[in-house]
């Protein structure tokens, strides 16, 4: 039996899409009802107040009619957080697009995912607040892996449980190996020390405790290579937003590591 009902809900705009001549579809990740496609009629009209929310990455409190099947409908919007900085900065925009793309691919529509909702909300908030979008996106793509059915052990050695020292990743053991057990997997991924260090850190740190992070381009390149290995092996999706990031990064010399690494988790 189909159920339609009005509700107030928090939501994140994932993307917008033109529908017919004057109408618009907006996909919103709602905290209470999962991902839903909302229909807005005559969006081009000057007196249509919903024009103001037709931007990806916008976070707001909405009022609308939720339909269990097909399109849902918006009737009003309350407090909103407009992603001005994210939209205007090409790098911030690219990584935000990657994060919402991963969100859309990670689970089916109509399914509530409040933990992931909070993760995406806080991540977009960090990008809008000026935190390095590369770092924010790295944390997000590591912590969203369980939604793809993947739960790597980044915390301790898969053989002995060691948590200190140098680590590398093993597909064979679905987790990290400490240096004493590198020999257990000849096909380990040979992550750099820096990539291993930050992936292990990023797998555990909540955005709320993320202080000042500044990574050199070489470190970012090593992280990108390591995470791409994981996604290619475990997830196997190829998003346009990721391809754009790869193209964007190709214009940066990965050997130019003039900026020193700093991390302040205060």
């Amino acid at each position: 039996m189909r159920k339609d009902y009005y509700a107030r809900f928090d939501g994140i705009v994932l993307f917008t899409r033109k529908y017919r001549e004057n109408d618009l579809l907006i996909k919103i990740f709602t905290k209470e009802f999962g991902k839903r496609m909302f229909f807005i009629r005559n969006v081009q009209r000057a007196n249509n107040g919903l024009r103001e929310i037709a931007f990806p990455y916008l976070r707001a409190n909405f009022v609308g009619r939720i339909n269990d099947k097909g399109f849902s409908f918006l009737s009003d919007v309350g407090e909103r957080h407009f992603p001005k900085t994210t939209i205007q900065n090409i790098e911030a925009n690219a990584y935000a697009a990657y994060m919402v793309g991963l969100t859309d691919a990670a689970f089916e529509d109509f399914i509530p995912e409040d933990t992931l909702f909070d993760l995406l909300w806080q991540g977009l908030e960090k990008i809008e607040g000026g935190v390095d979008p590369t770092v924010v996106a790295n944390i997000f793509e590591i912590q969203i892996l369980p939604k793809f059915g993947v739960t790597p052990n980044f915390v301790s050695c898969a053989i002995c449980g060691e948590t200190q020292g140098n680590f590398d990743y093993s597909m064979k053991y679905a987790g990290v190996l400490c240096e004493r057990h590198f020999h257990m997997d000849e096909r380990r991924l040979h992550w750099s020390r820096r990539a291993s260090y930050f992936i292990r850190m990023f797998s555990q740190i909540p955005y709320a405790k993320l202080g000042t992070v500044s990574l050199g381009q070489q470190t970012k390149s090593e992280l990108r290579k390591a995470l791409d290995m994981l996604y290619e092996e475990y997830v196997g999706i190829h998003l346009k937003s990721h391809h754009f990031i790869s193209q964007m990064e190709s214009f940066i010399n990965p050997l130019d590591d003039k900026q020193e690494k700093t991390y302040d988790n205060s």
Side-chain angles (χ1 to χ4, degrees):
M1 180 178 179
R2 180 170 175 171
K3 296 179 180 179
D4 304 339
Y5 47 91
Y6 278 90
R8 181 179 294 275
F9 53 90
D10 291 328
I12 303 166
V13 176
L14 299 182
F15 63 81
T16 65
R17 181 180 299 156
K18 188 174 181 180
Y19 186 75
R20 299 185 184 136
E21 186 64 26
N22 300 311
D23 305 329
L24 192 71
L25 296 178
I26 300 183
K27 192 161 194 180
I28 299 178
F29 182 15
T30 77
K31 184 167 187 175
E32 295 84 353
F33 311 106
K35 296 178 298 179
R36 304 272 177 152
M37 191 71 79
F38 289 83
F39 178 80
I40 300 179
R41 190 182 301 278
N42 297 320
V43 72
Q44 299 299 332
R45 289 184 179 177
N47 64 348
N48 190 336
L50 295 177
R51 293 176 60 185
E52 300 177 2
I53 57 92
F55 293 91
Y57 328 131
L58 180 137
R59 296 169 290 123
N61 180 260
F62 299 95
V63 178
R65 193 174 84 208
I66 303 297
N67 294 340
D68 283 348
K69 295 182 180 180
F71 298 149
S72 294
F73 299 88
L74 295 174
S75 56
D76 197 6
V77 58
E79 182 180 2
R80 70 203 73 179
H81 306 273
F82 189 80
K84 180 179 179 180
T85 300
T86 304
I87 289 176
Q88 292 179 344
N89 182 291
I90 187 171
E91 185 181 26
N93 199 330
Y95 282 102
Y98 181 45
M99 289 164 61
V100 300
L102 287 176
T103 300
D104 202 26
F107 64 102
E108 298 295 326
D109 293 354
F110 301 98
I111 301 173
E113 287 284 355
D114 55 347
T115 300
L116 181 54
F117 178 91
D118 290 339
L119 184 68
L120 181 60
W121 183 287
Q122 293 166 16
L124 293 175
E125 185 175 50
K126 286 292 184 181
I127 291 178
E128 185 63 20
V131 177
D132 188 333
T134 309
V135 173
V136 176
N138 286 162
I139 292 172
F140 186 83
E141 60 188 316
I142 293 169
Q143 296 190 14
I144 198 179
L145 277 172
K147 299 302 179 183
F148 289 102
V150 181
T151 55
N153 171 21
F154 296 120
V155 177
S156 58
C157 176
I159 305 299
C160 68
E162 179 62 70
T163 60
Q164 303 295 321
N166 185 32
F167 292 83
D168 194 7
Y169 193 82
S170 166
M171 294 291 187
K172 178 180 178 181
Y173 292 98
V176 293
L177 300 177
C178 69
E179 202 163 16
R180 289 183 301 160
H181 293 102
F182 282 176
H183 67 280
M184 299 289 290
D185 186 359
E186 296 179 355
R187 300 182 64 185
R188 59 189 173 85
L189 297 187
H190 295 280
W191 284 354
S192 70
R193 284 177 177 263
R194 289 182 293 191
S196 175
Y197 173 81
F198 281 105
I199 287 175
R200 295 180 67 239
M201 177 189 294
F202 290 168
S203 72
Q204 301 175 73
I205 187 169
Y207 283 128
K209 294 185 178 180
L210 182 64
T212 301
V213 184
S214 179
L215 304 182
Q217 191 55 45
Q218 178 67 24
T219 301
K220 291 182 179 181
S221 179
E222 292 170 0
L223 276 166
R224 181 76 272 138
K225 181 179 178 181
L227 291 173
D228 283 351
M229 288 180 183
L230 287 179
Y231 266 76
E232 188 63 33
E233 176 69 21
Y234 287 139
V235 181
I237 61 172
H238 301 90
L239 301 176
K240 290 183 179 180
S241 52
H242 180 273
H243 179 65
F244 178 77
I245 288 172
S246 298
Q247 289 183 316
M248 182 176 62
E249 291 180 345
S250 70
F251 291 101
I252 304 174
N253 180 2
L255 298 180
D256 183 9
D257 200 23
K258 296 177 182 178
Q259 184 181 24
E260 293 295 326
K261 170 184 71 65
T262 62
Y263 180 74
D264 174 16
N265 190 27
S266 58

